[in-house]
Amino acid sequence: FPLAIEQFDLSEYDLIVSSSASIAKGVITNANQLHVSYVHSPMRYAWDLYHQYIKESKLKGIKGWYAKRILSKIRLWDVINTNRVDYLIANSNYIARRIKKVYRREAKVIYPPVDIESFSLEVNKENYYVTASRLVSYKKIDLIVKAFSKMKDKKLIVIGEGPEMNKIKNIKSSNISVLGHVSFSDMVKYLQCAKAFVFASEEDFGIVPVEAQACGTPVLAYGKGGALETVREGISGHFFYNQSVKSIIEGVKKMENTKFDPEVVRENALKFSKERFEKEFKETVEKLYRQWQVS
C-alpha cells in the first residue's frame, strides 16, 4: 500500500486534496504544492484495532510474527507521511482526538456528507427494530441479535451481508429476520417504518444512524465514538454504554419508554447534509489555499 500510493505523480497540481482512511495522505508532494487531507481515521488496523485484528486473524508462528512486523513498519510510515500534509481535516471530534493522539497534530472538524434527501420523513412507524451493516465482527451485530433473542416480544430486522452471516443466522431466534443484501429502496423503506435503529459499534462517524434519523427514526446507539456527535440523548435516540447483551436490553427498555417526535428526529439529521458539507469544505480549502499563496 505505501509503495502504491507513492507512485502517483501529482507534480503538475498546485492543490492536492486527499480523502484518507489509511494511506491516501501518503502521496508525495513538493514545497510548491498545498496538500489538505480529509482524514476519516488513522489506519485502524495498525493503531486502535491492532490487537483485535491480530487476534481475529488467528495468525500464529511465522505468519503472526510477519504480520506484526509489517504493521510495525506501517505505523512508522503512517506517522512519517503525516509530515507531508499541510493541513488535516477530521470527519468528527472523535477522530480529531485520535489524530492528536497518534500524529500530535491539530485537525479542523468537518462532518461528512449524508444524502439526507434520499431518506424522507415517515411519521407512521411499525412495531419492529432494524439494524443495517456489513456483517463483520467489530460492528457487533451478533450482540444485537443475542439481545433480541432474549426479547421474544420485540421484532428485529437485520440488513447486510458479510463473513459473520452464518454465525448470526445460527444464533438468531424466531423474532429476528436476517435479510442479507436488500435494494437501496427497500433499505430506505425499512429505515422509514422502523420503531428504532440499533447501532452497537464504535465508529469514526457512522453514516447509517444519520440516515435513519433523516427518516424520522430514532437511534439506540453505543455511547462511544462518532454516535455521540450525531445522536441527541432523549431527543433523537438513546445510548447504551457497554457493548453487552444486558446493556442493549436496557437500552431497548429506554426506547420503549420514550415518545420520540419523528419531525424533531429528522431535524437533527439535517445538519449533516451534502449541501452543508460541500459549502463548508469548499470554503475551508479555498481559505487555506489563499493563506498558502501569500505565505
Side-chain angles (χ1 to χ4, degrees):
F1 282 176
L3 177 63
I5 201 70
E6 290 178 352
Q7 301 314 302
F8 284 106
D9 182 1
L10 305 175
S11 56
E12 64 178 290
Y13 303 103
D14 296 324
L15 170 66
I16 289 92
V17 177
S18 60
S19 176
S20 185
S22 60
I23 62 161
K25 67 181 177 60
V27 293
I28 294 176
T29 58
N30 61 49
N32 298 315
Q33 297 172 296
L34 175 68
H35 180 187
V36 179
S37 186
Y38 188 45
V39 178
H40 305 287
S41 175
M43 55 175 73
R44 301 189 70 164
Y45 54 84
W47 293 104
D48 62 323
L49 292 184
Y50 166 73
H51 294 290
Q52 181 178 330
Y53 273 98
I54 291 294
K55 182 179 179 180
E56 291 177 357
S57 69
K58 297 180 180 178
L59 294 174
K60 297 180 180 179
I62 190 69
K63 289 182 179 180
W65 172 85
Y66 183 74
K68 292 174 184 177
R69 180 174 172 79
I70 291 298
L71 287 171
S72 177
K73 289 181 178 292
I74 285 179
R75 280 193 293 275
L76 293 174
W77 177 82
D78 188 41
V79 172
I80 290 168
N81 76 53
T82 305
N83 292 322
R84 303 174 187 174
V85 181
D86 297 293
Y87 295 96
L88 294 167
I89 300 175
N91 72 357
S92 66
N93 289 301
Y94 174 62
I95 292 304
R97 290 193 296 271
R98 290 188 58 216
I99 287 171
K100 179 72 172 177
K101 171 71 174 178
V102 174
Y103 303 138
R104 303 300 178 186
R105 294 276 301 272
E106 299 293 335
K108 176 183 174 63
V109 175
I110 298 179
Y111 291 122
V114 181
D115 188 10
I116 301 295
E117 297 310 311
S118 293
F119 297 85
S120 57
L121 174 66
E122 175 57 68
V123 297
N124 298 311
K125 303 299 181 182
E126 297 179 20
N127 193 28
Y128 68 86
Y129 290 77
V130 66
T131 187
S133 169
R134 287 183 295 117
L135 303 185
V136 293
S137 61
Y138 85 91
K139 295 289 187 178
K140 305 298 182 183
I141 302 300
D142 60 324
L143 282 182
I144 299 173
V145 170
K146 287 175 182 176
F148 275 83
S149 292
K150 294 181 179 296
M151 297 182 287
K152 296 294 196 300
D153 60 327
K154 306 289 189 297
K155 182 179 178 182
L156 173 69
I157 293 175
V158 179
I159 298 171
E161 55 189 1
E164 294 227 318
M165 174 66 84
N166 289 336
K167 174 184 176 180
I168 288 165
K169 283 184 174 180
N170 287 335
I171 62 176
K172 78 178 187 70
S173 54
S174 58
N175 58 312
I176 299 169
S177 300
V178 181
L179 303 184
H181 173 76
V182 301
S183 67
F184 179 76
S185 60
D186 282 346
M187 189 184 80
V188 172
K189 194 176 300 180
Y190 283 117
L191 290 178
Q192 286 175 321
C193 298
K195 176 183 287 187
F197 180 82
V198 187
F199 187 68
S201 65
E202 179 184 343
E203 291 285 356
D204 309 326
F205 177 76
I207 296 288
V208 185
V210 179
E211 293 172 341
Q213 291 174 80
C215 298
T217 301
V219 176
L220 174 62
Y222 177 46
K224 197 171 182 181
L228 289 171
E229 300 172 53
T230 62
V231 178
R232 294 179 63 194
E233 174 67 40
I235 304 297
S236 68
H238 282 305
F239 295 108
F240 59 92
Y241 295 96
N242 293 298
Q243 287 177 316
S244 68
V245 169
K246 180 182 177 182
S247 194
I248 292 173
I249 291 173
E250 290 173 351
V252 170
K253 290 178 181 177
K254 283 201 296 184
M255 298 296 288
E256 293 283 331
N257 292 325
T258 305
K259 184 173 177 57
F260 294 98
D261 184 336
E263 293 185 358
V264 173
V265 173
R266 177 175 169 82
E267 185 71 26
N268 185 59
L270 296 180
K271 59 189 175 186
F272 303 107
S273 70
K274 288 169 59 177
E275 293 74 20
R276 182 273 321 159
F277 170 80
E278 290 170 1
K279 180 177 185 295
E280 190 174 357
F281 199 87
K282 184 173 185 290
E283 288 177 351
T284 297
V285 172
E286 288 179 347
K287 179 181 177 181
L288 292 173
Y289 187 69
R290 288 193 300 269
Q291 292 173 345
W292 174 76
Q293 284 181 309
V294 299
S295 62

